[in-house]
Amino acid sequence: MIRSEFLVCFLILFSSLLIPSHGHRALPEKQAALFIFGDSLFDAGNNNHINTTINYQANFFPYGETFFKYATGRHSDGRLIPDFIAEYAKLPLIPTFLPSTKHEFTFGANFASAGAGALVETHKGFVIDLKTQLSYFKIVEKELKQKLGDERTKTLLSRAVYLFSIGSNDYMVPLLANSSVLHSDYSRKQYVATVIGNLTATIKEIYKKGGRKFGFVNLGQLGCIPASRLLVAGGTGACLEDASELAKLHNKALSEVLQELESQLKGFRYANHNFYNSGAEVFSNPSKYGFKKTTACCGSGPFRGLPSCGGKRSGLKDYELCDNPDEYLFFDSSHPSEKANKQTSELMWSGTPDVTGPYNFKTLFELK
């Protein structure tokens, strides 16, 4: 009896050494976690779990059809930029913060929300604004301290990369509403300064928590997405210049503030991908990059610029769906296809300083 009990205990102990634990997994030494903030370019499904409308969600067919084979909540046919960056960094897919009870966040967390802006007022009540995303990060920090202790958490947060895509909704909302806030050069610059100010405040809060490595995707040609081209009078397919000009103002201000932060904050390092220029290059020469169309794969109306993909939004039930999303620069009226996301991610990961700088993301992850 004693021998059999001893044997059972031995087998349990031995098997526990062989079978991987389903509990907490620590980051390997020198591995950097990835924390993701932003809008629909990065939302991997947070909006599935908030009280919002279908206009800010993508948890239905045909979203996700290419890679996941089901709708995850990502606004694309497959993977998003953070998914590829995680892969290149040898990380698993980064879990969304919501529902937070189901995840551990030692490899990072995704707080992004489709429709979100740096301003609390942008789509207020329907999205997770940047300030709230920051509050969720602080919750994760506390959870990590409980699991890892203060010192290991401090190391994890200092080694981590903090990735941002934010701002496009802040400009498109007042632009489409013909708001007086954008009617003069002075008011536009003030408005941009407010957006950048909110982003800067978030960066500084993360820095206070130990964050040192930050990554950014600046704003693309907002006027050249199918939804914007639809609005240009005459149906010529031209880009909506007002939207793209706002993106330029934002990008200039972002570049300036990042340089200031680098000089002000000890150890602050960053990668900033010039999405405006890289996207403009692909839009101007689609065939060079393997695209046949600069319209959307899924949607309706001219350029498939109406947000009808899936037939569930704003009473728009009828939509068209292409056979091969890889041929299209955009999957729906406002969001890139998986193929486009992958190409952008490759430029972010290993691009030269004129494309992604002063560090690219590969170097940023490797920095101690």
Side-chain angles (χ1 to χ4, degrees):
M1 185 70 175
I2 294 174
R3 286 183 179 178
S4 63
E5 288 177 350
F6 176 81
L7 180 60
V8 170
C9 290
F10 175 79
L11 289 173
I12 291 172
L13 175 62
F14 183 69
S15 63
S16 71
L17 296 174
L18 296 178
I19 300 172
S21 168
H22 293 285
H24 169 71
R25 292 185 296 164
L27 272 172
E29 193 175 352
K30 296 183 181 179
Q31 184 80 54
L34 178 61
F35 293 97
I36 301 156
F37 302 80
D39 50 31
S40 56
L41 200 63
F42 285 3
D43 184 1
N46 280 305
N47 278 16
N48 296 351
H49 306 286
I50 65 173
N51 183 20
T52 187
T53 71
I54 201 73
N55 293 334
Y56 303 93
Q57 295 174 321
N59 52 354
F60 48 88
F61 178 84
Y63 290 100
E65 63 169 3
T66 299
F67 181 79
F68 298 99
K69 308 304 180 186
Y70 71 98
T72 63
R74 290 167 170 83
H75 285 71
S76 186
D77 57 299
R79 289 163 289 183
L80 304 179
I81 287 169
D83 299 323
F84 288 109
I85 296 299
E87 177 187 330
Y88 303 155
K90 297 182 171 55
L91 293 167
L93 285 175
I94 304 302
T96 53
F97 175 75
L98 299 175
S100 57
T101 53
K102 291 187 177 181
H103 301 300
E104 292 182 347
F105 300 110
T106 49
F107 290 96
N110 185 327
F111 308 102
S113 170
L119 305 180
V120 174
E121 296 79 13
T122 299
H123 295 143
K124 187 175 183 179
F126 295 99
V127 301
I128 309 165
D129 61 81
L130 185 60
K131 185 177 180 180
T132 305
Q133 292 180 35
L134 176 64
S135 72
Y136 289 167
F137 167 71
K138 291 178 180 179
I139 292 171
V140 169
E141 181 214 13
K142 289 179 182 177
E143 291 180 357
L144 289 171
K145 283 184 175 180
Q146 290 172 0
K147 292 174 183 176
L148 304 178
D150 288 358
E151 282 305 310
R152 289 179 67 194
T153 298
K154 182 180 178 182
T155 300
L156 186 153
L157 296 181
S158 67
R159 191 187 294 156
V161 171
Y162 301 85
L163 176 59
F164 288 82
S165 166
I166 200 80
S168 59
N169 294 300
D170 294 308
Y171 301 111
M172 293 304 293
V173 169
L175 182 68
L176 296 179
N178 196 27
S179 170
S180 60
V181 76
L182 300 178
H183 279 180
S184 71
D185 287 343
Y186 177 74
S187 62
R188 284 185 174 209
K189 288 178 181 177
Q190 279 191 317
Y191 188 78
V192 170
T194 304
V195 172
I196 293 295
N198 281 22
L199 174 55
T200 304
T202 300
I203 294 167
K204 287 182 175 179
E205 281 295 306
I206 294 171
Y207 181 87
K208 287 179 185 177
K209 296 294 183 181
R212 293 296 182 268
K213 300 188 289 184
F214 294 81
F216 302 88
V217 178
N218 75 12
L219 300 189
Q221 283 187 302
L222 297 181
C224 295
I225 62 175
S228 295
R229 293 167 67 195
L230 182 73
L231 301 174
V232 178
T236 62
C239 297
L240 184 64
E241 289 304 321
D242 280 352
S244 293
E245 286 302 315
L246 284 167
K248 284 183 183 178
L249 284 173
H250 174 93
N251 292 344
K252 183 176 184 293
L254 175 63
S255 179
E256 290 170 353
V257 81
L258 291 178
Q259 291 175 51
E260 288 174 8
L261 290 172
E262 186 180 36
S263 65
Q264 293 169 0
L265 304 178
K266 184 179 179 181
F268 177 90
R269 288 172 286 192
Y270 70 94
N272 186 20
H273 173 62
N274 194 335
F275 193 36
Y276 191 99
N277 284 2
S278 67
E281 166 64 19
V282 179
F283 187 83
S284 299
N285 304 284
S287 60
K288 179 180 175 181
Y289 297 91
F291 298 105
K292 292 184 179 179
K293 302 277 189 179
T294 57
T295 56
C297 164
C298 185
S300 57
F303 324 111
R304 293 183 183 162
L306 290 173
S308 59
C309 187
K312 294 192 175 186
R313 295 193 186 101
S314 302
L316 299 170
K317 301 300 180 186
D318 297 324
Y319 68 97
E320 300 171 274
L321 179 64
C322 70
D323 293 328
N324 183 7
D326 278 358
E327 295 179 349
Y328 288 74
L329 180 56
F330 296 93
F331 180 66
D332 71 5
S333 61
S334 301
H335 305 100
S337 62
E338 181 187 74
K339 181 176 178 178
N341 282 329
K342 184 177 183 181
Q343 290 185 5
T344 301
S345 303
E346 288 169 349
L347 291 174
M348 291 168 63
W349 185 253
S350 56
T352 52
D354 59 316
V355 176
T356 303
Y359 299 100
N360 59 32
F361 279 76
K362 181 177 186 296
T363 304
L364 196 66
F365 270 89
E366 291 170 349
L367 290 171
K368 293 182 180 179

